[in-house]
Amino acid sequence: MWGFVLGIILILLLIVGYYLLYYNYWSERGVPAISPIYTFHNFSELVFRVSPKFTNLKDLYFKNQDKRYVGLFQFFRPILMVNDLDLIKKICVQDFDTFTDHSPYPNVLFTDKLFHKNVFSMTAEDGWYELRGALTPFFSGSKLRRWYPLMRRCSEQVLDYLNSCESTDCVDLRDLFERYSNDVIGSASLGVCCNSVRDRDNPFFNGCRYLANFSGMKGITYIVYSLYPRLLQIIAPSLIKSKVTDFFLQLIRENMHYRLERNIVRDDIVSLLTKYIQNKSGMKETSLNASGGVCDMTIAEVTAGVAVFLIAGFETVAYTLTFAAYELAINPEVQKKVCNEIEETLNKYDGELTFDAINSMNYIENVIFEALRIHLVFSIIDRRCTKNYTIEPVHPGEKPVHLKEGDCVWIPAGPIHHDPKHYPNPQKFDPDRFGKNKPFSLMPFGIGPKSCLGVRFAMLECKLILVEILRSFDIVPVKKTISSLPTFKDTSFGLSRKTLSNKV
Ligand code: HEM
């Protein structure tokens, strides 16, 4: 018994000692620092980087907003939080070649095939530049025009569903948007057509929803892996259930065989990844086995590469749309302006909701950006220093700060979006302020060469479904939506059918 108690005390003393040592990490570099105890105090927000209103991060930012940067800790990982927009620009754009990577992410081929190196987790040393370059054509203007009819079909399926509902007084829009975004990314990126709005239990949708969900033990395991990658080699539990991994591996296997047998090149994510892997290996033959099929290694790499798009294009879009719907519901005058824009545009395009018609609607784009400013999906943008780097002093009293290779930098995007010196009256939903904001003060899609690869794709799909819904319905708040803020536990909205005279 006493041995056990002494053991616990020893462990606690070691932890405290370790923390005190770490505390000096920043002060020795002349950086104002937050006590490491803060990490424990604000565990979920600092460690998991999620909180509905990022209250603690905001608190930290506003208490230190006179400082260009402040040192803090994500457990034992020292983080430099950068508050100053000029310094953000320098780190994320001008000196990007020193900050090419995110903080380490799990890269766990031997336990989780679906989390093998992908464009999000890959470092520059691993070949991030090449992979990003290989995938970029999927998002070019001409490709978006090509994916548009697929998006359109998905948006029409949502409308058909809503039109067939007996009552639309209380519709869970987040669920509907998840299904829509899943169908869009599935059909464009790999040619899987499912109507998950109707076919509510289809395995592709359930698999993607499971992949994109990082709550509970899965989220904890993921964070522990990214903080302590070496633990992986010791304990190595899977993040993803093997039956889900097998489902996606089998899906991609069949997909690739089908293309190979019929000589189909679709220029989608599956095709681009296959080409990239073939070029990387230098020999076409390495991706083909003796029987003319695709080898398992290629299938595993393509599946992992596709999985990150299924994850990236799922909750992000659904959340963005839910936030936008919320702001439209509680700001009817903004909703009216959007409807006027839709009407004017459709008049110009003979009533056809074409790719060009959607692209020419600017006000609704401002609405989406303003919704993302207020309710950001990712409140922190992170970068990892890949070589030693010095932040030169600018203000009197500052000293040069020497960052070491491996140090991590956080950009507090959420608090910056709410800073009155960048956005006067920051809680006010005002789409007209978009375009007048300071450079680098708005970053819902990240910053610089590592920013979101899917931004144009995401904006197109968000605009399309909002326009499609607003042509036939008014979005109105219901009691549950309003009271569930800020957690959005209940995402029901009222959709009130437009009469023939006010249909757009
Ligand atoms: C409105 C919805 C979306 C939001 C708010 C969003 C936001 C972001 C953010 C903040 C990043 C990190 C950027 C950085 O570190 O500077 C990111 C990265 C990324 N996003 Fe998105 N995203 C959205 C939709 C999408 C969609 C639909 C796709 C794919 C079809 C996508 C693909 C990616 C990829 C591949 C990356 C990693 C880029 C890289 O590291 O090179 N995103 N996104």
Side-chain angles (χ1 to χ4, degrees), residues 3 11 15 23 29 70 179 190 247 253 267 304 351 442 461:
I11 290 172
I15 291 177
Y23 187 48
R29 287 168 175 72
V70 56
R179 291 170 189 279
L190 63 154
F247 169 79
R253 180 175 292 117
D267 278 349
L442 187 72
E461 88 179 282

Side-chain angles (χ1 to χ4, degrees), residues 27-39:
S27 42
E28 276 168 4
R29 287 168 175 72
V31 174
I34 306 297
S35 158
I37 303 301
Y38 193 89
T39 302

Side-chain angles (χ1 to χ4, degrees), residues 330-495:
I330 61 168
N331 293 286
E333 68 297 344
V334 174
Q335 191 170 160
K336 180 93 196 65
K337 268 178 97 171
V338 173
C339 290
N340 290 344
E341 178 179 59
I342 298 173
E343 195 172 359
E344 278 164 26
T345 313
L346 286 179
N347 284 342
K348 272 193 225 150
Y349 286 86
D350 298 330
E352 290 295 324
L353 199 50
T354 60
F355 177 75
D356 293 323
I358 286 286
N359 262 337
S360 67
M361 295 183 200
N362 296 326
Y363 186 68
I364 191 165
E365 194 158 311
N366 295 2
V367 165
I368 296 168
F369 270 106
E370 179 66 352
L372 275 170
R373 180 188 69 77
I374 297 188
H375 314 271
L376 199 58
V377 180
F378 297 101
S379 55
I380 294 167
I381 310 288
D382 68 322
R383 294 288 182 268
R384 184 174 163 272
C385 191
T386 52
K387 9 184 163 125
N388 293 348
Y389 180 82
T390 301
I391 299 175
E392 298 297 346
V394 171
H395 299 311
E398 276 182 3
K399 292 184 189 148
V401 176
H402 302 292
L403 294 182
K404 287 196 307 201
E405 180 187 340
D407 282 345
C408 291
V409 171
W410 277 3
I411 315 296
I416 289 175
H417 286 188
H418 285 255
D419 187 338
K421 73 175 178 280
H422 306 313
Y423 295 97
N425 196 359
Q427 291 312 326
K428 183 169 187 263
F429 182 74
D430 176 11
D432 289 319
R433 68 166 106 220
F434 184 71
K436 298 174 204 147
N437 51 300
K438 291 186 199 155
F440 299 94
S441 65
L442 187 72
M443 43 199 138
F445 292 98
I447 324 161
K450 214 172 173 66
S451 61
C452 177
L453 193 50
V455 51
R456 292 172 67 200
F457 185 94
M459 285 307 287
L460 184 65
E461 88 179 282
C462 287
K463 282 167 79 175
L464 173 61
I465 189 66
L466 286 177
V467 170
E468 193 87 83
I469 290 177
L470 288 171
R471 283 173 88 184
S472 305
F473 296 92
D474 288 320
I475 304 176
V476 288
V478 291
K479 235 183 180 171
K480 285 199 237 170
T481 334
I482 305 298
S483 59
S484 79
L485 261 182
T487 53
F488 267 119
K489 272 207 176 86
D490 194 309
T491 44
S492 309
F493 291 81
L495 293 180

Side-chain angles (χ1 to χ4, degrees), residues 102 119-120 128 132 185 320 378 383 444-447 450 452:
H102 289 296
V119 67
F120 196 84
W128 168 78
R132 175 137 179 156
I185 194 69
T320 303
F378 297 101
R383 294 288 182 268
F445 292 98
I447 324 161
K450 214 172 173 66
C452 177

